[in-house]
Amino acid sequence: MDTDPDVLLGLMELAVTWHELDYSAEPVVGPRQWLTFADRHQWMFPDRAAWAFALAVDIVGRRVVGAPPSELDRRVVLDLVRG
């Protein structure tokens, strides 16, 4: 995912359309699990993957997703916020 631009764009498209389309019949992980999913996987470029999932969560809206899980590396989140 973190090395394939098409997959990254697919994640962004999923985030942008989350409230517009019904994904209930699709085998996808919902926004509430995106940060946990990202944290539990090995990535070739972990910072890029963390950035992509954090951006997707922001697109959907944190009010829907909730706070980041406690196990997420807070340094990554702070670095993302600082830009």
Side-chain angles (χ1 to χ4, degrees), residues 18 21-28:
W18 189 260
L21 303 176
D22 179 8
Y23 288 102
S24 62
E26 299 296 324
V28 297

Side-chain angles (χ1 to χ4, degrees), residues 4 9 27 34-36 43 56 80-82:
D4 186 340
L9 288 173
W34 289 347
L35 294 176
T36 303
W43 306 103
L80 291 170
V81 171
R82 290 183 189 133

Side-chain angles (χ1 to χ4, degrees), residues 5-7 19 25 36 38 43 47 62 71 78 80:
D6 290 332
V7 175
H19 297 296
T36 303
W43 306 103
D47 291 343
R62 290 197 184 271
E71 64 269 8
L78 291 174
L80 291 170

Side-chain angles (χ1 to χ4, degrees), residues 2 5 15 19 29 34 38 40 45 54 56-57 67 80 82:
D2 57 328
H19 297 296
V29 174
W34 289 347
R40 291 183 178 164
F45 301 101
V57 166
L80 291 170
R82 290 183 189 133

Side-chain angles (χ1 to χ4, degrees), residues 72-80 82:
L72 186 67
D73 187 342
R74 299 211 185 274
R75 289 171 297 158
V76 172
V77 173
L78 291 174
D79 287 344
L80 291 170
R82 290 183 189 133

Side-chain angles (χ1 to χ4, degrees), residues 38-56:
D39 192 47
R40 291 183 178 164
H41 285 77
Q42 297 284 331
W43 306 103
M44 185 173 290
F45 301 101
D47 291 343
R48 181 185 298 166
W51 172 80
F53 280 97
L55 181 58

